[in-house]
């Protein structure tokens, strides 16, 4: 039997692509709640993502990220901005497919992403250009499996939102 698509939008893509900014605007346009996964983790743990990585390590972060994903997916409708690594964790990938929402990959070339992340201190996985590029390449095969791809290079967040709305998946 064909299952109804849930009114859940998962925004995914590499760090710096604008998932949080676009997600907040998209939520406003749709009058749907917006949930930023990283922000819920920080609020729930009373600390920053960077501190969680430093104090407890990435495996612990991935555990709480998974719990936050499951919790966020209980809200419907909702626009959910994932973290850059959420969709590439196999259990999360499977969970999201089963959750029955729509996945949208915000795509942007590496150089532009690097430019946006450089000089900021809030991303523990932005260490150096070489490891950034390697992580990007590793993740592309996952991102490519999203239902939709929206290019974002040289486009402001409002226009990105317009392009998402044009998908008419709502
Ligand atoms: C991560 C990206 C971050 C955050 C954490 C890990 C990643 O989110 O979840 O630092 O694995 O790429 P943004 O994509 O919002 O920066």
């Amino acid at each position: 039997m064909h299952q109804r698509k849930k009114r859940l939008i998962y925004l995914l893509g590499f760090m710096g692509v604008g998932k949080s900014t676009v997600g907040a605007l998209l939520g406003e346009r749709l009058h749907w709640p917006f949930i930023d996964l990283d922000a819920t983790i920080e609020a729930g743990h009373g600390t920053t993502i960077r501190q969680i990585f430093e104090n407890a390590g990435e495996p612990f972060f991935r555990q709480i990220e998974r719990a936050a994903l499951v919790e966020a997916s209980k809200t419907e409708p909702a626009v959910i901005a994932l973290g850059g690594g959420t969709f590439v964790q196999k259990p999360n990938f499977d969970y999201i497919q089963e959750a029955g929402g729509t996945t949208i990959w915000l795509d942007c070339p590496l150089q532009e992403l690097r430019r946006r992340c450089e000089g900021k201190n809030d991303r523990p996985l932005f260490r150096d250009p070489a490891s950034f590029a390697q992580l990007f390449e590793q993740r592309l095969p996952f991102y490519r499996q999203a239902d939709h791809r929206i290019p974002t290079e040289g486009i402001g967040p409002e226009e990105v939102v317009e392009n998402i709305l044009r998908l008419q998946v709502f």
Side-chain angles (χ1 to χ4, degrees):
M1 207 172 75
H2 191 70
Q3 240 190 329
R4 177 181 75 87
K5 263 277 186 207
K6 281 220 178 117
R7 293 197 303 157
L8 279 178
I9 294 175
Y10 295 98
L11 293 179
L12 57 108
F14 209 59
M15 48 189 127
V17 79
K19 301 178 291 289
S20 303
T21 309
V22 168
L25 288 171
L26 182 62
E28 272 175 33
R29 287 292 299 275
L30 292 170
H31 302 289
W32 289 11
F34 166 60
I35 303 171
D36 183 328
L37 216 58
D38 283 342
T40 65
I41 293 169
E42 291 191 330
H45 288 260
T47 185
T48 62
I49 302 279
R50 172 167 283 283
Q51 282 302 318
I52 296 171
F53 267 72
E54 279 173 12
N55 297 338
E58 183 171 349
F60 177 73
F61 172 76
R62 294 302 171 196
Q63 277 177 34
I64 58 178
E65 180 183 50
R66 169 136 178 77
L69 170 67
V70 172
E71 192 54 39
S73 303
K74 291 179 186 162
T75 306
E76 189 188 358
V79 175
I80 302 173
L82 302 178
T86 318
F87 196 62
V88 311
Q89 310 294 317
K90 181 75 169 98
N92 296 345
F93 180 88
D94 292 342
Y95 178 84
I96 290 169
Q97 305 307 323
E98 280 163 29
T102 299
T103 50
I104 299 178
W105 170 29
L106 302 184
D107 187 19
C108 185
L110 179 67
Q111 300 87 311
E112 169 80 14
L113 293 170
R114 203 173 73 194
R115 206 177 46 73
R116 292 189 201 168
C117 293
E118 255 161 6
K120 292 198 185 148
N121 194 28
D122 56 346
R123 292 190 169 94
L125 290 183
F126 181 59
R127 299 195 183 102
D128 56 78
S131 66
F132 192 71
Q134 196 182 29
L135 201 57
F136 181 78
E137 290 302 326
Q138 279 169 4
R139 288 177 171 181
L140 282 179
F142 287 89
Y143 295 158
R144 286 198 183 108
Q145 295 179 67
D147 297 324
H148 303 277
R149 183 185 80 95
I150 297 286
T152 65
E153 187 184 21
I155 299 177
E158 284 85 6
E159 207 179 330
V160 172
V161 168
E162 292 305 330
N163 292 341
I164 294 175
L165 292 170
R166 266 186 218 116
L167 295 171
Q168 297 196 320
V169 290
F170 312 102

